[in-house]
Amino acid sequence: MRGILSLVKPVQYSSESVVNIVEKNRCCGCSACAQKCPKHCISMMEDQEGFLYPEVNAEICIDCGLCERVCPEMNQNEPVNPSLAFAAKAQDDTIRKSSSSGGIFSLLAESVIDKGGVVFGSALNERWEAEHIFVDDKKSLVRLRGSKYMQSVVGNTFSQAKDFLEKGRQVLYSGTPCQVAGLKKYLGRDYDNLLTVDVICHGVPSPKVWRLYLDELLRTKCGAGKNTVQSLDEIPGIQDISFRDKTDGWKKFGFSIRIADFKSAKNSVSQSVEEFRESFTENAFFRLFLENVILRPSCYDCPAKSGKSGSDITLGDFWGIEKLMPEFDDDGGCSLVLINSDKGKAYFPKKDVHYRQMNPSLPLNYNSSYFYSSRKPKYRAYLFRKIIKTRKLDSKSIIVFGNNICFKIVRRVMKLFHS
């Protein structure tokens, strides 16, 4: 606990002595420390912004230092340049349509399952929040497809993955770069039967703000919600939620939710299903996300950028494909696949996929999130407090969005004036 104690302060809860994170920008919430603790004295607890942080029962702690050694924030790797880059998209249009970009994750996952392996990834649970699970059949892969724009709860999946690895089963573990970095630190060594896949990450929004948004949406737009966020798990009418709806195209993706008529669902009567859809530029939750207002504090100084996660493969949207390779762009979704290791190269699915190889530096020119952390807005603390206090994502997000665009235009004009 020596390293963790450098970031925390003691707090009293009943008769137990607990320590809490103080420098929250130095904790990515990967939960490696909680899963590694031999005394199980570390719990991941939600703070006022909705992010999970370790709380340590100091009375049980034996000061073994294991939590310090597995922390990806305190033990950052050196950057790794990808050796290969591909523009790729699954030949199966059904897979690609239900995926965020080109559907390559599904093809990787299927190849692992074909070998009797298991696949870990983020899925929406019964409360429509993101949590890591594992699946070992292709039918269940649909739960892992598509982006979930909130921080996924890792739970004990690091220890589950280790159990499978020790038993000799093939394991694919996917997540954000900091989650993959946490897994690698937790395991402490490489496994030949482990394939790690991370994503080019803009940052992770608050699950609490997501709950507030969903509750407000259901009450005001769909007419289905109740007055409190805690009641969301009681709403039986939600059929599906997509954070990357491609109805209007991959580049104009939007948010969509399908929900049965609430009165009918409440009475278990199957009737009409209402669908609500907004583009990401119109959606209040997406605007706050893209303007970096509701990101985890550590996302403004990410410990796992530039290949520091140690993943075998990095996946992302191939932004810029229309300029680099317009003949390959059909606006149905294209994946950028970065190969970081020999193992990743061996697993690249050249079967059932359309792909083009190129120099990694070219696509990364259009994907700056691979290298750089999101910039922390000066108004973040104020807006976050306002959202939590009012329990609403109101038009302030639109004002913020507009102000930032105006600022960028003014800055460009000033540059031209002084050139």
Side-chain angles (χ1 to χ4, degrees):
M1 193 171 65
R2 294 184 299 274
I4 296 295
L5 278 175
S6 68
L7 310 178
V8 299
K9 63 180 180 180
V11 180
Q12 294 295 329
Y13 288 92
S14 303
S15 60
E16 294 184 341
S17 177
V18 180
V19 289
N20 287 335
I21 291 287
V22 174
E23 298 181 55
K24 292 188 173 181
N25 63 311
R26 296 184 62 190
C27 175
C28 61
C30 71
S31 84
C33 58
Q35 296 184 70
K36 195 69 173 182
C37 178
K39 302 299 289 184
H40 306 291
C41 67
I42 303 177
S43 301
M44 301 299 293
M45 306 298 291
E46 186 174 291
D47 73 345
Q48 291 183 342
E49 293 185 345
F51 298 109
L52 297 180
Y53 292 93
E55 289 188 355
V56 186
N57 187 333
E59 291 184 350
I60 303 176
C61 175
I62 59 175
D63 199 26
C64 64
L66 286 177
C67 57
E68 176 183 355
R69 291 196 287 272
V70 301
C71 176
E73 288 275 357
M74 301 178 66
N75 304 279
Q76 296 185 25
N77 299 327
E78 293 297 319
V80 175
N81 295 322
S83 59
L84 294 172
F86 297 95
K89 50 192 179 183
Q91 293 179 3
D92 189 327
D93 287 337
T94 301
I95 291 178
R96 189 156 66 118
K97 185 177 180 180
S98 61
S99 302
S100 294
S101 47
I104 303 305
F105 167 76
S106 291
L107 299 182
L108 289 167
E110 287 182 356
S111 68
V112 170
I113 290 175
D114 285 340
K115 298 177 181 179
V118 295
V119 178
F120 287 81
S122 178
L124 293 175
N125 60 23
E126 67 279 1
R127 297 180 302 279
W128 302 100
E129 296 178 325
E131 65 178 15
H132 261 60
I133 63 169
F134 70 84
V135 301
D136 58 4
D137 65 281
K138 293 182 181 180
K139 184 178 180 180
S140 299
L141 278 178
V142 64
R143 294 191 62 193
L144 305 186
R145 289 189 192 127
S147 300
K148 289 85 180 176
Y149 285 97
M150 72 195 86
Q151 185 164 32
S152 180
V153 178
V154 171
N156 65 340
T157 54
F158 290 179
S159 60
Q160 289 176 332
K162 183 178 180 180
D163 288 341
F164 285 124
L165 291 168
E166 296 290 346
K167 292 176 182 176
R169 294 188 69 177
Q170 192 74 34
V171 172
L172 186 160
Y173 196 100
S174 64
T176 60
C178 62
Q179 289 172 337
V180 170
L183 170 69
K184 303 277 279 190
K185 297 297 181 184
Y186 171 86
L187 294 174
R189 72 176 184 86
D190 192 24
Y191 287 81
D192 292 337
N193 51 333
L194 172 65
L195 178 69
T196 52
V197 178
D198 66 355
V199 295
I200 298 177
C201 183
H202 175 81
V204 289
S206 163
K208 186 172 186 177
V209 175
W210 162 247
R211 292 196 297 268
L212 292 170
Y213 167 75
L214 186 58
D215 182 67
E216 182 181 10
L217 175 67
L218 292 172
R219 284 188 289 104
T220 60
K221 299 291 180 67
C222 301
K226 299 182 182 180
N227 294 323
T228 61
V229 174
Q230 288 78 6
S231 67
L232 284 177
D233 58 353
E234 301 173 9
I235 298 174
I238 297 178
Q239 305 291 307
D240 181 56
I241 292 177
S242 173
F243 293 90
R244 295 292 299 272
D245 188 292
K246 295 181 179 179
T247 300
D248 298 321
W250 169 53
K251 299 183 187 69
K252 295 181 180 180
F253 68 86
F255 169 85
S256 68
I257 177 173
R258 296 175 67 251
I259 183 167
D261 178 81
F262 187 60
K263 292 181 181 180
S264 299
K266 188 174 181 180
N267 296 319
S268 300
V269 177
S270 177
Q271 294 193 6
S272 63
V273 174
E274 181 180 0
E275 184 169 17
F276 170 79
R277 184 185 295 116
E278 275 187 334
S279 71
F280 74 100
T281 56
E282 299 171 335
N283 184 276
F285 181 79
F286 271 102
R287 284 180 170 176
L288 290 171
F289 164 62
L290 293 173
E291 290 300 319
N292 306 334
V293 175
I294 54 176
L295 301 186
R296 187 181 181 94
S298 61
C299 294
Y300 306 116
D301 189 19
C302 176
K305 291 291 184 183
S306 301
K308 292 165 65 177
S309 70
S311 69
D312 299 300
I313 295 176
T314 298
L315 299 177
D317 291 287
F318 201 129
W319 303 129
I321 186 67
E322 72 282 359
K323 297 178 180 179
L324 294 175
M325 205 174 295
E327 75 283 357
F328 199 64
D329 177 31
D330 61 1
D331 202 29
C334 183
S335 295
L336 171 58
V337 185
L338 301 174
I339 304 299
N340 306 317
S341 69
D342 291 338
K343 188 188 300 183
K345 181 179 180 181
Y347 266 90
F348 178 72
K350 294 184 178 180
K351 181 182 177 182
D352 301 325
V353 61
H354 301 293
Y355 68 93
R356 300 287 188 276
Q357 184 177 336
M358 64 180 61
N359 187 309
S361 63
L362 295 176
L364 288 178
N365 286 332
Y366 297 90
N367 292 269
S368 61
S369 290
Y370 178 80
F371 298 105
Y372 305 112
S373 299
S374 296
R375 180 177 296 181
K376 183 178 180 180
K378 294 181 179 180
Y379 45 77
R380 179 191 182 277
Y382 166 76
L383 278 180
F384 219 123
R385 286 195 301 268
K386 189 177 188 303
I387 291 169
I388 299 302
K389 182 178 180 180
T390 62
R391 305 174 70 84
K392 291 182 179 180
L393 284 70
D394 58 19
S395 59
K396 284 289 185 181
S397 61
I398 300 175
I399 295 174
V400 169
F401 187 81
N403 285 344
N404 276 337
I405 291 180
C406 291
F407 173 77
K408 291 175 182 177
I409 293 174
V410 170
R411 186 170 58 183
R412 289 174 184 172
V413 171
M414 292 299 291
K415 284 183 178 180
L416 289 173
F417 181 81
H418 290 291
S419 62

